[in-house]
Amino acid sequence: MAAQRRTEEMRDRVVLGEFGVRNVHTTDFPGNYSGYDDAWDQRRFEEAFRVDVIREEGDELEFDMVGIDAAIANAFRRILLAEVPTMAVEKVFVYNNTSIVQDEILAHRLGLIPIRADPRLFEYRNQGDEEGTEIDTLQFQLKIKCSRNSQAAKESSDPDELYFNHKVYSKHMTWVPLGNQTDLFPDADFRPVHDDILIALLRPGQEIDVLMHCVKGIGKDHAKFSPVATASYRLLPDITLLQPIEDEAAEMLQKCFSPGVIEIQNIKGKKVARVANARLDTFSREVFRHESLKNLVRLARVRNHYIFSVESTGILPPDVLVSEAIKILMGKCQRFLNELDSVPME
């Protein structure tokens, strides 16, 4: 039985020790363990695989993906970061810029402003096409000039009182329809995701007059096209108390973990520690600093249980991004299968 438990641990858990991590690599491949059938089986995979949405708040989404290998989880993460398309400023035509911000720096700042526009409504622009059309380009204009407020108090030193339009924000970017875009998108509200992104500071007489072309692209080509601020995953924590921990030791144990992980119950007049919610832990391994506790707790992670955290930049909701990433992954798999079918068999 002890040997079987060790085998199960090697297969299912990544164990964190005081000076290292055990069972890091996946070992449940066919023939590696006697008595286990690890050959690929679609029915078994479908029964074990599941996706559980844990939390969705605004632009943030947390969900569990259970029953997959690390390679699949990482492929999904990388697709979210680099292969789900968005619209972003690609070309900046500077007609006038007398601010202290150089043209190339201004263009770079404009390119990093997330644009609220559904990329699924547009096509990729053809390489070499400088003009753009209504089906592959969004056009924005930024035209603003700073002037002095003649009604300001003479003793005032506050720029907000002394000047008009001295702060250039993303809200000053206005959509200029190309071709028949007004008819194509009658209910469209193309604009920056956030209105309060500071682009430049001006003083009286200075002005900025630029025209911007937004095109469809992916994060693999430039980070400005990435639809997520963060997309990460971690393995589900698994904390096991190897024997009862009571009184002062229980209070010390509680302080070794993130809030909410360990709770203390009063049982027959004694304070007894129990694991309340291992999911909340970040695994600082603080418990290994205490000689009286380090052999009473086993820290591990569930090998095939991935906790994904996705934070959208606001261009598309996070649930839509996840859906689009799944479609892209399915497309990659289909292309791979097509390539296999096209290879002549001897």
Side-chain angles (χ1 to χ4, degrees):
M1 291 296 294
Q4 185 176 359
R5 283 198 300 270
R6 286 196 298 270
T7 301
E8 290 292 340
E9 181 182 279
M10 290 177 63
R11 289 168 57 85
D12 301 333
R13 295 293 186 269
V14 177
V15 181
L16 287 79
E18 183 176 3
F19 300 109
V21 183
R22 304 197 312 271
N23 311 335
V24 175
H25 302 291
T26 302
T27 57
D28 56 347
F29 47 85
N32 194 41
Y33 294 102
S34 176
Y36 289 89
D37 180 16
D38 289 321
W40 166 256
D41 182 79
Q42 182 173 343
R43 182 188 57 81
R44 191 165 58 215
F45 171 77
E46 291 176 353
E47 290 176 354
F49 177 73
R50 73 175 194 271
V51 176
D52 301 325
V53 176
I54 305 301
R55 177 177 58 88
E56 184 174 4
E57 297 175 359
D59 292 329
E60 297 182 8
L61 175 67
E62 181 179 319
F63 63 94
D64 291 358
M65 195 175 285
V66 185
I68 58 172
D69 189 72
I72 303 298
N74 197 48
F76 185 72
R77 179 190 67 86
R78 294 185 63 166
I79 289 172
L80 275 170
L81 287 169
E83 297 189 54
V84 176
T86 63
M87 303 291 287
V89 174
E90 177 71 7
K91 298 287 185 181
V92 178
F93 302 93
V94 182
Y95 294 104
N96 193 10
N97 176 24
T98 55
S99 71
I100 63 170
V101 182
Q102 296 94 332
D103 292 352
E104 58 271 24
I105 302 299
L106 178 63
H108 183 262
R109 292 177 68 85
L110 293 171
L112 294 175
I113 295 174
I115 304 298
R116 191 185 295 280
D118 192 335
R120 295 170 294 182
L121 301 175
F122 297 89
E123 303 292 336
Y124 287 100
R125 182 188 282 194
N126 294 326
Q127 193 170 5
D129 184 1
E130 295 294 332
E131 296 297 325
T133 65
E134 61 269 13
I135 64 171
D136 60 25
T137 303
L138 276 176
Q139 185 172 259
F140 285 85
Q141 185 179 40
L142 175 60
K143 189 173 184 178
I144 188 169
K145 184 174 182 177
C146 179
S147 59
R148 192 178 298 275
N149 180 11
S150 59
Q151 304 299 318
K154 292 184 178 180
E155 65 275 9
S156 176
S157 59
D158 184 359
D160 291 334
E161 296 180 7
L162 293 173
Y163 314 122
F164 293 120
N165 296 328
H166 76 103
K167 290 182 178 180
V168 183
Y169 287 107
S170 52
K171 66 182 179 182
H172 295 124
M173 295 170 57
T174 56
W175 173 46
V176 181
L178 270 176
N180 65 340
Q181 284 184 339
T182 306
D183 299 326
L184 287 174
F185 313 112
D187 301 322
D189 182 25
F190 300 130
R191 58 183 176 84
V193 172
H194 305 288
D195 292 333
D196 57 351
I197 299 176
L198 184 63
I199 299 172
L201 294 176
L202 302 179
R203 286 298 179 262
Q206 295 181 346
E207 65 177 304
I208 294 176
D209 184 5
V210 299
L211 197 66
M212 293 156 278
H213 281 184
C214 299
V215 302
K216 186 175 181 178
I218 58 176
K220 188 186 294 185
D221 296 330
H222 195 289
K224 66 185 177 184
F225 292 112
S226 182
V228 294
T230 59
S232 61
Y233 64 79
R234 61 191 178 97
L235 292 174
L236 178 70
D238 178 39
I239 301 172
T240 305
L241 303 185
L242 302 179
Q243 67 182 59
I245 302 177
E246 302 172 347
D247 298 330
E248 292 183 4
E251 294 179 346
M252 186 185 301
L253 180 72
Q254 187 180 46
K255 295 177 181 178
C256 292
F257 293 91
S258 303
V261 175
I262 302 293
E263 73 173 12
I264 296 178
Q265 296 179 324
N266 197 314
I267 301 177
K268 297 180 180 180
K270 290 187 177 181
K271 297 178 179 179
V272 180
R274 65 175 290 270
V275 179
N277 190 354
R279 183 190 186 91
L280 300 176
D281 196 39
T282 57
F283 276 166
S284 64
R285 292 191 273 188
E286 172 71 17
V287 68
F288 292 127
R289 294 165 59 93
H290 302 274
E291 289 292 332
S292 59
L293 296 176
K294 66 180 183 179
N295 294 320
L296 306 181
V297 181
R298 189 196 70 164
L299 303 183
R301 291 186 182 271
V302 182
R303 184 185 298 281
N304 67 346
H305 190 136
Y306 295 87
I307 302 173
F308 273 87
S309 298
V310 178
E311 182 183 349
S312 169
T313 57
I315 297 173
L316 289 173
D319 59 323
V320 174
L321 294 179
V322 170
S323 176
E324 291 299 304
I326 292 173
K327 292 177 184 177
I328 293 172
L329 183 58
M330 291 171 62
K332 287 175 174 285
C333 295
Q334 189 59 54
R335 285 195 297 274
F336 179 68
L337 292 175
N338 293 340
E339 288 294 327
L340 289 178
D341 292 338
S342 66
V343 176
M345 303 296 290
E346 295 183 359

